[in-house]
Amino acid sequence: MDLKSNHTSPVLTDPAPITKSRLGVPSSLLPYSPMGAAFPAGLFLTIPRKKTGILEDFRSSSWLDAMKSSSPPHKRMVKGVNNENESSDADADADDDAAYCTWMVKYPSALSTFEQITNYAKGKRIALFLDYDGTLSPIVDNPDCAFMSDAMRTAVQKVARYFPTAIISGRSRDKVYEFVGLTELYYAGSHGMDIIGPVRQSISDNHSNCIRFTDKQGKEVNLFQPAGEFLPMIEEVLRLLVESTKDIRGAKVENNKFCVSVHYRNVDEKSWKTVVQRVHDVLKDYPHLRLTHGRKVLEVRPVINWDKGKAVTFLLESLGLSDSDDVLPIYIGDDRTDEDAFKVLRERKRGYSILVSSVPKESNAIYSLRDPSEVMEFLKSLVVWKKSSAL
Ligand SMILES: O=P(O)(O)OC[C@H]1O[C@H](O[C@H]2O[C@H](CO)[C@@H](O)[C@H](O)[C@H]2O)[C@H](O)[C@@H](O)[C@@H]1O
């Protein structure tokens, strides 16, 4: 199938016209709706007719290029294997370093500007938001083995003693909790579509999909799942994607509860086109699901007006920290989906967003950190600063 054709596609075209029911639920979703479920007004996303951003990347037939560039290449790992190449490797490395230094003028290191950051933070209540993959754990070939180090876990645990801290991940909430294993944090899985946060009356009043319950530690918490209606559809698509990609060597489909990831990191580049084709073939019958891409991964998610940025706003509200001049949210992330959160902080003109990247890339973030080890150093520095400023 030609991706440039007019064939109905979740990636290439707008979702079918939506007939809203009295609940505000698109009629095409009603068979899936549990009785009496309420879908929050305004949550359903209308994909703009003028294509922009990620969807356009795919539409403009450059999806294969996008797939290729969707994860920074490892810096020339094999050096000097062939002596003839040594000097050209060195030249290329010097070029890369120079480009990175130039880029850092626009996105200064959060470590070298740490004093500036903490000067501004004086007297303010910091709230910390952390992405997981590529931020707290290094990117690895097998998504099931993206473990965080004990040192990182300790750093996160310590920082959470001083500042409310949440992990916001594309993974399922259970999976990211399994990796992190710290009960003192808040967790948002499925790109913010599955949040456990503190109980606050105004939140339950404003968000109909909130359920209050007592967690395993005996703490009262709020569970918020704005895409709850999509669960049966996502489970169906998960099964179809597993089936349709099972013969592609290296392809891996991951269940992220309200989203599905189709990994192609371990697929031979010659078969990447087949991967996107198969995903496209499945999704063409699901106009209420959309496709975005992350680091060597295609991500299927519901077409709702909810993302990591909305999750940050929601958590700040839950923590009683929204709309207050003395609050300083800090968000650290490495991926495209983190850009939604960076944008929110930028638009609110409040808070600091930090992009984790070892290669130059355009971002809505203000600062940068090179890799998870620098993230750990930053978290440790926050603790040292907080302790010393309390003396
Ligand atoms: O929001 P995040 O916590 O950053 O999650 C985004 C995706 O992360 C995972 O995939 C990425 O990391 C894997 C492990 O290092 C790597 O193998 C993969 O290529 C990366 O895309 C996770 O597996 C995905 O489900 C998340 O959507």
Side-chain angles (χ1 to χ4, degrees), residues 131-133 138-143 146 168-171 191 254 256 261 263 265 294-297 299 308 334-335 337-338:
D131 168 54
Y132 183 74
D133 288 280
I139 293 294
V140 292
D141 285 346
N142 183 353
I168 305 189
S169 171
R171 302 250 189 188
H191 297 296
E254 186 183 0
N256 288 339
S261 286
H263 294 273
R265 183 173 293 279
R295 301 181 70 169
K296 302 265 189 280
V297 68
E299 293 173 314
K308 287 187 174 186
D334 73 313
D335 213 344
T337 54
D338 299 308

Side-chain angles (χ1 to χ4, degrees), residues 226-351:
E229 302 277 342
F230 287 83
L231 200 51
M233 185 191 280
I234 289 284
E235 284 169 354
E236 190 174 290
V237 163
L238 172 78
R239 283 192 295 275
L240 293 172
L241 288 171
V242 169
E243 186 57 31
S244 72
T245 57
K246 69 177 184 206
D247 63 328
I248 306 175
R249 206 166 159 194
K252 184 176 170 70
V253 179
E254 186 183 0
N255 179 357
N256 288 339
K257 190 153 182 168
F258 295 105
C259 311
V260 180
S261 286
V262 182
H263 294 273
Y264 58 91
R265 183 173 293 279
N266 302 317
V267 174
D268 189 298
E269 203 171 316
K270 288 191 211 91
S271 303
W272 288 4
K273 196 172 174 177
T274 313
V275 175
V276 79
Q277 194 69 71
R278 299 278 174 85
V279 173
H280 164 261
D281 287 348
V282 169
L283 291 193
K284 71 182 187 317
D285 297 327
Y286 296 87
H288 299 303
L289 298 180
R290 66 181 171 131
L291 190 63
T292 58
H293 65 270
R295 301 181 70 169
K296 302 265 189 280
V297 68
L298 299 173
E299 293 173 314
V300 177
R301 50 201 289 188
V303 181
I304 63 164
N305 189 11
W306 197 267
D307 52 35
K308 287 187 174 186
K310 293 272 191 313
V312 167
T313 306
F314 178 90
L315 277 162
L316 283 171
E317 214 179 314
S318 307
L319 291 160
L321 296 176
S322 55
D323 299 324
S324 172
D325 283 341
D326 71 342
V327 173
L328 182 73
I330 299 182
Y331 189 106
I332 312 181
D334 73 313
D335 213 344
R336 276 167 183 256
T337 54
D338 299 308
E339 293 292 330
D340 294 319
F342 297 161
K343 233 184 275 171
V344 163
L345 296 192
R346 190 176 271 267
E347 278 160 15
R348 291 165 64 116
K349 294 196 176 66
R350 194 169 295 153

